Amino acid sequence: MLLLALETSCDETSAAIVHDGVIRSSAVSSQIRLHSEYGGVVPELAAREHLRNLIPVTQTALREAALPAEQLDAVAATQGPGLPMALLVGFRSAQALAFSLRKPFIGIHHHEAHLYSPWINHFEKFQRNLSLIVSGGHTMLVLVEGVFKHRVLGATVDDAAGECFDKTGKLMGLAYPAGPEIDRLAEQGNPKAYDFPRPMLNDAGDDFSFSGLKTSVRYFLRDNPAILDNAQSVRDLCASVQSAIVEVLVTKTVRAARRNGVRCVTASGGVTCNRALRAQLAAACRQAGLSLRLAEQKLCTDNAAMIGIVAEQKLRREAKCDYDEDIMPGWQLA
Ligand code: KG4
Ligand code: ZN
């Protein structure tokens, strides 16, 4: 099956061609520079930028796959959750293209796409797993019993882990999104320099909370403003904050995996790019005798390839033609 997928839920405009479970091409145009001026994503600007970029990005994906649109068997797009106006651009464009080609269209859940992204190009190896989805908008633990048989065990009750990276970074004066910069600065910092809380670490459940950590960094900087004048202290601060976030994510993921008797752990979403998270999750899984599948770095942040792979799997199971479906901005993973 040759399928075109579009993703426009937040600040990346992306198009991809997938063919029988393999990515033939993937084009991503990031709006990060546009939004960093405002310290976060501006929904109206994001939607306008998607409108501007969607056709060139789609043309790039088709050109790289050496494919005329007429050869497509189906079209897919992110249906939700996401910024309403941003979602509308990709969703309605994909529906219109599918309609004009008289081909099936399917809307895909953004988190479901993250959830299965560690299996891209290797779906035949799929096994029962415990999955950590960790991004700018969400942090959740999901028990995946089989393909499309999953159950959310826990999620953040307030800020997502990526949001915690971005907002604490903003307090330190770092540009949006601060996650990658904290990762870089933390490399030469001491993670034990400053002691920050590990929220809900010892909680019996699988939920997360990161707003208290953000607040404690805020009070710490209010009481120690000189920290920001010293480059090494900033690196230590980044390492200490990162260490608190990563410890909570790793400990709770491995604990949930053991409790549910799974042998495999997966992780996906933008924060899975974080090198400390990747390394510490790998070490903890090794120690616990669990196998680990991390989404490839370029597939961790938002992209249409993961939408396409899930769309293909769904269309193989059930023929759909959702021309009349609408976006679902607040759609939660069940
Ligand atoms: O999955 P994603 O592209 O968008 C959402 O669905 O939210 O994730 C973006 C998030 C941002 O919060 C960004 O700061 C974070 O992923 N991120 C990182 C790193 N790279 C991206 N956080 C920590 N370390 C990184 N290397
Ligand atoms: Zn995402």
Side-chain angles (χ1 to χ4, degrees), residues 14-93:
S14 179
I17 305 289
V18 302
H19 184 207
D20 293 341
V22 172
I23 302 169
R24 285 267 298 260
S25 68
S26 170
V28 182
S29 168
S30 177
Q31 306 176 4
I32 279 177
R33 234 177 279 156
L34 172 77
H35 298 289
S36 67
E37 196 183 320
Y38 302 94
V41 178
V42 183
E44 173 68 19
L45 289 182
R48 283 166 187 251
E49 202 62 10
H50 286 311
L51 269 177
R52 214 187 323 267
N53 292 334
L54 193 61
I55 288 178
V57 164
T58 305
Q59 283 171 328
T60 303
L62 287 167
R63 196 175 49 245
E64 282 177 7
L67 197 74
E70 291 69 31
Q71 281 185 24
L72 293 169
D73 296 311
V75 184
T78 308
Q79 189 165 7
L83 302 172
M85 296 308 288
L87 283 169
L88 264 180
V89 176
F91 194 75
R92 288 294 188 218
S93 303

Side-chain angles (χ1 to χ4, degrees), residues 110 114 135-137 162-163 165-166 177 179-180 183 269-271 273-274 300-302:
H110 183 83
H114 277 305
S135 71
E163 206 177 342
F165 271 110
D166 295 341
D183 184 348
V271 178
C273 290
N274 184 271
C300 285
T301 46
D302 291 347

Side-chain angles (χ1 to χ4, degrees), residues 257-316:
R258 282 181 143 162
R259 186 174 355 97
N260 287 284
V262 304
R263 294 224 188 92
C264 175
V265 165
T266 71
S268 60
V271 178
T272 307
C273 290
N274 184 271
R275 289 168 299 167
L277 176 62
R278 293 178 89 84
Q280 288 177 41
L281 205 47
C285 284
R286 211 177 307 117
Q287 207 181 4
L290 299 163
S291 66
L292 175 66
R293 275 199 95 83
L294 297 168
E296 244 182 84
Q297 293 240 7
K298 65 172 188 286
L299 296 171
C300 285
T301 46
D302 291 347
N303 65 88
M306 66 180 187
I307 303 294
I309 294 287
V310 165
E312 209 183 11
Q313 292 285 333
K314 291 215 160 185
L315 285 171
R316 281 184 194 289

Side-chain angles (χ1 to χ4, degrees), residues 12-240:
E12 328 275 358
T13 313
S14 179
I17 305 289
V18 302
H19 184 207
D20 293 341
V22 172
I23 302 169
R24 285 267 298 260
S25 68
S26 170
V28 182
S29 168
S30 177
Q31 306 176 4
I32 279 177
R33 234 177 279 156
L34 172 77
H35 298 289
S36 67
E37 196 183 320
Y38 302 94
V41 178
V42 183
E44 173 68 19
L45 289 182
R48 283 166 187 251
E49 202 62 10
H50 286 311
L51 269 177
R52 214 187 323 267
N53 292 334
L54 193 61
I55 288 178
V57 164
T58 305
Q59 283 171 328
T60 303
L62 287 167
R63 196 175 49 245
E64 282 177 7
L67 197 74
E70 291 69 31
Q71 281 185 24
L72 293 169
D73 296 311
V75 184
T78 308
Q79 189 165 7
L83 302 172
M85 296 308 288
L87 283 169
L88 264 180
V89 176
F91 194 75
R92 288 294 188 218
S93 303
Q95 275 175 326
L97 178 62
F99 182 72
S100 71
L101 295 170
R102 308 267 185 275
K103 299 291 181 188
F105 168 81
I106 185 168
I108 297 296
H109 194 294
H110 183 83
H111 298 145
E112 210 166 51
H114 277 305
L115 186 62
Y116 294 98
S117 62
W119 304 98
I120 289 182
N121 297 335
H122 300 283
F123 240 94
E124 74 288 353
K125 293 186 181 159
F126 179 88
Q127 58 173 293
R128 183 172 182 263
N129 65 82
L130 193 288
S131 189
L132 171 71
I133 307 176
V134 66
S135 71
H138 290 270
T139 303
M140 56 181 94
L141 285 173
V142 187
L143 178 62
V144 192
E145 298 282 6
V147 179
F148 305 131
K149 285 190 199 134
H150 46 252
R151 183 162 56 89
V152 176
L153 300 177
T156 182
V157 295
D158 41 53
D159 290 357
E163 206 177 342
C164 186
F165 271 110
D166 295 341
K167 289 183 174 168
T168 53
K170 193 173 179 180
L171 294 170
M172 299 177 213
L174 303 178
Y176 171 86
E181 186 64 357
I182 291 184
D183 184 348
R184 195 182 66 77
L185 291 168
E187 200 175 14
Q188 288 165 46
N190 174 7
K192 295 200 165 87
Y194 309 110
D195 191 22
F196 290 111
R198 270 69 174 152
M200 294 177 95
L201 179 66
N202 297 313
D203 207 85
D206 294 316
D207 285 338
F208 297 93
S209 164
F210 290 102
S211 73
L213 172 56
K214 175 190 67 189
T215 309
S216 74
V217 173
R218 185 190 182 94
Y219 288 147
F220 175 78
L221 284 171
R222 181 197 62 190
D223 299 339
N224 304 277
I227 293 266
L228 297 181
D229 300 332
N230 180 296
Q232 186 53 43
S233 302
V234 172
R235 290 194 275 268
D236 289 345
L237 180 57
C238 287
S240 301

